Amino acid sequence: MKEVFLGIDHPALAAKDVVALTKWYCDVLGYELIAQTDKPIFIIKAPDGTNIEMMPEDGTPPPTRTVSTKGWSHLALRVSDFDKAVAALDKHQVHWETAEFEAVGGGRIRNFLDIEGNLLQIVER
């Protein structure tokens, strides 16, 4: 089935303020807006070509989550230079959830939150 299932096209993120969150991902993380609808739903693209769909939330209360709660837990962003990524995020005053720790299989990881409290990681392998 490798010739049929090629990989992940995009995760989707429902936001309280989809316009502000989309702008934050573009301004802070270097994503580029590539498509949008009137709803508004946005598709943003990372420098490596991967996409995220940003959509307005529907008011359903979110569950309480940790990095080990059943289901999808976080979005890990691959970085080319861990120290530069930390410095850039510090300039934007992100809320760090953890100190740096070792990635499974080797490398460096650190967890932080976006402006709506979604858990993100930077990872350098």
Side-chain angles (χ1 to χ4, degrees):
M1 294 307 296
K2 290 181 183 180
E3 66 278 357
V4 175
F5 296 99
L6 304 177
I8 296 170
D9 184 79
H10 69 274
L13 184 56
K16 185 174 187 171
D17 186 338
V18 69
V19 173
L21 190 61
T22 299
K23 182 176 178 355
W24 188 88
Y25 274 67
C26 292
D27 293 347
V28 175
L29 302 177
Y31 279 77
E32 171 190 1
L33 178 63
I34 61 168
Q36 69 184 74
T37 69
D38 291 338
K39 190 171 181 176
I41 296 173
F42 303 100
I43 301 292
I44 56 175
K45 181 173 73 173
D48 72 354
T50 57
N51 297 325
I52 298 176
E53 179 180 0
M54 309 295 264
M55 65 182 72
E57 57 100 8
D58 66 3
T60 304
T64 302
R65 299 200 58 83
T66 70
V67 294
S68 299
T69 302
K70 183 181 182 314
W72 297 104
S73 76
H74 62 274
L75 182 65
L77 304 170
R78 190 178 322 118
V79 298
S80 61
D81 185 311
F82 192 88
D83 295 322
K84 284 184 181 178
V86 168
L89 292 169
D90 281 343
K91 285 181 184 176
H92 289 282
Q93 301 176 329
V94 302
H95 175 81
W96 293 105
E97 284 286 287
T98 64
E100 176 185 332
F101 60 97
E102 186 174 341
V104 174
R108 302 164 73 186
I109 287 183
R110 192 165 182 195
N111 296 329
F112 67 102
L113 301 176
D114 69 19
I115 60 171
E116 290 205 1
N118 299 297
L119 185 59
L120 303 171
Q121 290 181 339
I122 53 171
V123 59
E124 179 185 47
R125 294 192 190 274

